[in-house]
Each structure stands twice: as structure tokens, then as C-alpha cells.
Amino acid sequence: MNTVSADPQLAEPYLLGWLASLGLDVDYVRAEGNTLYYLGASGEEIPVLDFAGGYGSLILGHNHPRITAYAQQLLASQTPVHAQFSRHPYANDVALALNRILQRELGTEENYSAIFANTGAEAVEAAVKHAELDRGLRLAELRTRLEENLAAARAAVAAGAGVAPEAYRLAGVDARDQAAGFEALAAAVTSRNAEQTARPPVLLTLEGGFHGKLVGSVQLTHNEGYRTPFAALATPARFIPANSPQALKNVLESERATVLDWVVDNGTVSLVEQNSPVFCAFVLEPIQGEGGIRVLSEEFAQEIQRACAEADCPVIVDEVQSGMGRSGDFLASSALGLVGDYYALAKSLGGGIAKTSVMLTRQSRYRSEFELVHSSTFAKDAFSCFISQKVLEILEADDGAAYRTVRERGAKLLGMLEAVRADFPDVVKDVRGRGLMLGLEFHDQSGSGSAAIRDSAPLLGYTVAGHLMREHRIRTFPTASAVNTLRFEPSLYLTDAEIDRLELGLRDTARLLRTHDGAGLTGTATDTGTAADA
């Protein structure tokens, strides 16, 4: 399955060795549709059915003929890639096309401004950066207003206005200090407000979420193995259990920041409490990908919408994996009734060829200053934008036929997975997802009668993936933070025959787990454990 080189392995050699131990270190030489090819011992092409789908990047499959032909045309015409700091009408065309789709799905007329990037993690970080810039500017505006209102209150007192007794209580000034008068009150309020407005930003996200592995985005990723080694480098997030409105309410209340503002009315100076912008953003996936293909409930999505609006906490919807039609709608969040302040799109936006992503910000929150403090060398280039336009054109053609196909093919694939679960309930714990973003979770196998299966239990999904590759030439992987869950994210051109082939592989796998056949599952000659040993 591989061409062995005598050269030292310097490109992620540890990972390569680990893949080799599972039989997943395949050197692919060609790809089309849902199929990858490697060379056999005699140089012949051997097909592998790909259900990993570029971790959701291939809604149109490998090397879609219209996209590859268009890419070749763009390259042949010497389309510029490096034309930074110039006019990019093609980027605006992508933004306009995306807005037409968002406005249709969200039922809004509001526009979303576009900031382009290269990867999903970059798009997420751009959204967080923009949200923090917006928070900082709102804080500056608040501080200015507080200073202006303090000056007005001071002038009113000098002119004979009285101070409401309640103001001293709100500011925490006790009775014996009230004799010091207005300036003591002003000093206490100013100190309290300075402390509240200096609080660090609060980032909220969901348990089980995955938003990237860059310095900032990894702090939004729930998997401690990815996050903890770098915890000191960025602001930590508060993780909230999915589908727990009470936990959300508790966090919003405990993290809330308030200031005291001055009011002069009818010759009396008083204080009112108001929120200070401490919440940077709530970042979420409508369908958690790496967290185990878990769909956010419609009820909790709408509770997040309501609670965040009340707390003035913008919502960043990470549609990097679930967007671009993969769920059966362009945005998985639109089916939940969730309207984001920000969206992050990537993966299939590049049609399986271009490396591109985009962060979209609703116009009512957009800060044009962001364009002067954020940039990316390869973002917004003509090649990537033209490819993105072609992808959107294909998805939107025939009144959105692609989305209907995803729903139909997804229902067919889901039905098959449910049938496997029904026949092997002792092996398959759950099946979930939507559209062509589906997961199948195995029961924990640490109590298996097979030593080989028990030993593989902590990383069961990878062992199963190795078996499916070795015995069935099927390529799929578990999700990174839920290793007992296999993911299935093929293109919308998935055929019945390909579904049938996956079913054979999964039923074979389930049978091996049921009968504790570790040798069959791992491809080893013997298995020291038996069912009787369990």
C-alpha cells in the first residue's frame, strides 16, 4: 500500500509511525468523487471509498470536473494570486453571493460584511478578534460617557443639586463617609467603574466543541489534550454544557459586569446601574464535528440567542464543518432558528481545491477599523474567490437542488446506519447527525473478551478505521474528541452502491466486536484473550 523511502522521515514522523501501526499510512496518488486511489504492488490503481471527505471539505467530492476545469482555466489565464492591497471585485462578488444565501435562509435583510482568510481556525479567530475590537470600542465609548456624566453631576451639585441617599448605598459608601460629600461618592464610583471596565473579556463556548488549534482558537476547543499545554498563551473560555439553559443563565449572571452611571434629574443627582461590555462572544457549532457529531437542539439554540441578546454577548456561529450545504441547508444553524452575529465558513468553500475561508459580521456590529488592524497574505486572492463563486453557483443551481440531494442522500445513509445499530445494539451505542454529517458511536470495549480489543479500547475508532481500510478499502476516521464515534462526511454524489459497501464493512466490524475477535479486527495473527477470559 506504500512506497517505502530510504530518506529520513522529517515531516511529522511520529504521526506517520502511528498511522503505519494502524494501516492508515496510505500514499494516495489520485482522487475523484468519493474515491481515492493508491498504487498496488504491480503499479495498478486500487480504489478506496472515502467517507472522511476531507473532514467535511468535500461536499462536491474530490476533483469535481467543473471546478477542476475552471481551476485549470484560471491558472492558464495567469489569474493573480499575489495582488494584495488592491481592488478585489471578485471577493465582493463572493460576499454578495453569500449574503443572498444568508438573507434567504435567515429571513433577514441585514447584510454581513466579509473578511477573508485561509482556514477555518483563522476565520474563527478573525471573528473573535473583531468581537473583541468591538467590545473595546464600546468600552471606550462607555468610559467617555461616564466621565461626561460625572462632570455634569459635579456641576449640578456645585449649583445646589442634592444627592439621592440611595446613590451612597449603590456605591458602597457607608453613612460615616457620606459626610465627606459628593467627592467621596465620586471617588468611590470612579474606582468601582474603573475596576469593572478593566475586567478581562469573557469568552463562552460549549463543552465538546472544536474551533481550531491556533493560539486563540484552541482555547475554545474543549479537548483538554489540545488546550491545556497552551492555556497560558490566551484568554481561557468558559465551557457550558450543551442543552443546559440553567448553566448558561448561571454563567451569564456570574460573569456579568456593571457600572454606575450618573443621572441628574429635577435638581437631584442619582446613580443607575447598567451593564458593562465584558462578554466578548459566545462561540458554538450547530453540529459539533470533532466533538462526536452532536446536533445542537433547537430549544437550546434559541435559548442561547435570547440570553446572549439580553447580555449583549455576540454569537459566533462556527459553520466551518457543518456549513456549505452539508447539513441539507446552507447553514446548519438556520434550521435551528439561530441567527448569528458572526459566521465562520471554510472547508467546502474552496471546492476541495482552494484553501480559503471567510468570516461574516452582521452590519449592525461591523467595525470598519478592523480592516486596518487585521490582514492575511493569501486571503481574498482571485483564484480562491473565483473557485468559491463556482462552488456557490453549483450549490445554488436549480433552485438549490444540491441541498435537496444532501437531505435525500443523508436520509438514505442515516437509515442504513440505524439498521446496523438495530441489529447490533450491544455494539453500536448511537447514530446521530444531519444531512451528510453523520456519526456512529460504538459502545466502550474496555470489557471485551479480546485482549487486542481491550488494548485498543482507548482509541477504538482508529482501530476500526484501520480494519475498514485493510479489509474493505473504506476510509473513515473517528472524531478527534470522541474516539468511539466514526464520522461519515461524503460528497452529495454518494451512491446507493457506496452506501451498501459501507454497510458491509460496518456489519463486519460489528460482528468482530460482538464475537470478541481481536485478531480479525486488528489484523494480528493471534489474540491472547477470549470471551471466557473477560
Side-chain angles (χ1 to χ4, degrees):
M1 293 171 66
N2 310 289
T3 301
V4 179
S5 172
D7 294 330
Q9 294 297 321
L10 304 179
E12 299 184 329
Y14 176 81
L15 181 59
L16 180 63
W18 185 68
L19 290 173
S21 70
L22 296 167
L24 296 172
D25 59 328
V26 183
D27 177 11
Y28 296 105
V29 297
R30 190 168 70 85
E32 63 175 341
N34 289 315
T35 305
L36 285 158
Y37 298 86
Y38 68 88
L39 298 181
S42 302
E44 76 281 12
E45 284 190 341
I46 299 177
V48 173
L49 177 55
D50 183 16
F51 274 91
Y55 300 133
S57 299
L58 298 167
I59 192 64
L60 299 178
H62 291 278
N63 291 312
H64 187 284
R66 286 179 60 188
I67 295 174
T68 54
Y70 190 44
Q72 290 166 352
Q73 176 187 330
L74 292 170
L75 294 174
S77 63
Q78 299 183 323
T79 298
V81 173
H82 295 279
Q84 300 91 338
F85 222 66
S86 63
R87 187 165 176 266
H88 297 267
Y90 31 80
N92 194 58
D93 289 341
V94 176
L96 288 170
L98 287 169
N99 268 277
R100 285 192 292 270
I101 298 170
L102 262 64
Q103 289 169 354
R104 181 191 71 224
E105 288 211 350
L106 302 178
T108 179
E109 294 182 357
E110 185 172 9
N111 284 322
Y112 283 75
S113 294
I115 299 292
F116 288 83
N118 305 284
T119 67
E122 287 178 81
V124 169
E125 292 211 358
V128 172
K129 283 180 64 179
H130 185 284
E132 179 58 13
L133 175 69
D134 176 53
R135 190 187 77 89
L137 291 172
R138 286 186 288 128
L139 269 175
E141 294 163 1
L142 174 62
R143 291 189 183 104
T144 298
R145 187 169 68 253
L146 292 173
E147 291 172 2
E148 292 173 347
N149 290 346
L150 171 58
R154 182 176 281 120
V157 170
V163 178
E166 178 68 8
Y168 290 94
R169 187 194 66 77
L170 279 174
V173 177
D174 60 33
R176 65 188 175 203
D177 292 328
Q178 292 180 23
F182 177 80
E183 289 306 324
L185 176 63
V189 171
T190 300
S191 175
R192 181 188 184 283
N193 287 348
E195 179 183 332
Q196 289 291 295
T197 58
R199 284 178 54 182
V202 176
L203 280 163
L204 306 176
T205 190
L206 293 176
E207 292 181 358
F210 181 97
H211 301 285
K213 296 180 181 177
L214 301 181
V215 169
S217 57
V218 76
Q219 295 307 318
L220 299 162
T221 292
H222 190 229
N223 188 317
E224 290 187 6
Y226 299 144
R227 175 168 44 89
T228 302
F230 313 105
L233 294 178
T235 300
R238 289 291 306 269
F239 290 95
I240 296 170
N243 301 317
S244 178
Q246 188 60 48
L248 173 61
K249 179 181 178 181
N250 292 344
V251 170
L252 287 173
E253 184 58 35
S254 66
E255 295 288 358
R256 179 171 170 256
T258 60
V259 294
L260 297 177
D261 199 3
W262 300 93
V263 176
V264 180
D265 184 40
N266 292 326
T268 301
V269 173
S270 59
L271 290 170
V272 294
E273 186 180 65
Q274 61 177 265
N275 287 337
S276 176
V278 70
F279 295 106
C280 176
F282 193 126
V283 188
L284 61 87
E285 300 162 280
I287 304 176
Q288 291 185 339
E290 304 301 320
I293 316 295
R294 299 185 182 277
V295 182
L296 191 65
S297 74
E298 184 175 344
E299 295 76 17
F300 192 49
Q302 294 181 13
E303 177 62 21
I304 291 171
Q305 184 99 73
R306 185 203 61 76
C308 285
E310 187 176 289
D312 195 20
C313 175
V315 176
I316 298 174
V317 184
D318 179 347
E319 294 266 12
V320 169
Q321 192 165 164
S322 61
M324 300 299 301
R326 180 153 293 283
S327 71
D329 296 286
F330 186 81
L331 298 172
S333 53
S334 67
L336 304 176
L338 179 64
V339 178
D341 298 290
Y342 299 85
Y343 290 94
L345 292 167
K347 292 189 183 290
S348 287
L349 181 64
I353 293 178
K355 297 175 178 65
T356 187
S357 63
V358 66
M359 180 271 282
L360 299 165
T361 309
R362 70 190 312 163
Q363 207 72 57
S364 56
R365 280 199 178 267
Y366 188 65
R367 297 283 189 169
S368 58
E369 298 93 328
F370 189 71
E371 299 169 29
L372 303 178
V373 296
H374 179 86
S375 62
S376 178
T377 298
F378 289 96
K380 205 169 59 175
D381 69 280
F383 178 81
S384 296
C385 288
F386 282 129
I387 293 296
S388 296
Q389 286 182 47
K390 183 63 68 175
V391 171
L392 296 174
E393 176 187 314
I394 294 170
L395 290 177
E396 290 286 298
D398 299 324
D399 195 28
Y403 310 125
R404 295 192 295 274
T405 298
V406 170
R407 291 193 287 270
E408 186 275 325
R409 292 286 81 196
K412 179 83 173 183
L413 179 58
L414 179 64
M416 180 275 284
L417 298 177
E418 291 283 12
V420 173
R421 181 192 182 195
D423 290 344
F424 294 90
D426 52 324
V427 174
V428 179
K429 181 178 181 180
D430 195 16
V431 170
R432 52 185 176 262
R434 192 162 70 228
L436 289 172
M437 187 173 177
L438 301 175
L440 180 145
E441 182 181 4
F442 292 101
H443 284 291
D444 174 60
Q445 296 295 317
S446 57
S448 172
S450 158
I453 294 176
R454 289 197 304 272
D455 290 345
S456 71
L459 295 172
L460 178 67
Y462 291 101
T463 300
V464 170
H467 169 74
L468 289 172
M469 169 62 70
R470 185 177 59 253
E471 300 298 330
H472 298 277
R473 301 294 181 259
I474 292 173
R475 184 174 189 261
T476 190
F477 301 111
T479 62
S481 300
V483 293
N484 279 8
T485 301
L486 292 183
R487 75 172 86 211
F488 306 103
E489 300 184 66
S491 82
L492 62 86
Y493 303 110
L494 182 68
T495 67
D496 286 351
E498 290 169 336
I499 294 174
D500 292 343
R501 185 170 158 192
L502 175 62
E503 180 175 12
L504 288 174
L506 291 176
R507 287 184 177 277
D508 175 45
T509 299
R511 178 185 58 79
L512 294 173
L513 291 171
R514 171 179 280 176
T515 59
H516 311 279
D517 187 349
L521 184 70
T522 62
T524 55
T526 59
D527 184 3
T528 56
T530 66
D533 298 328

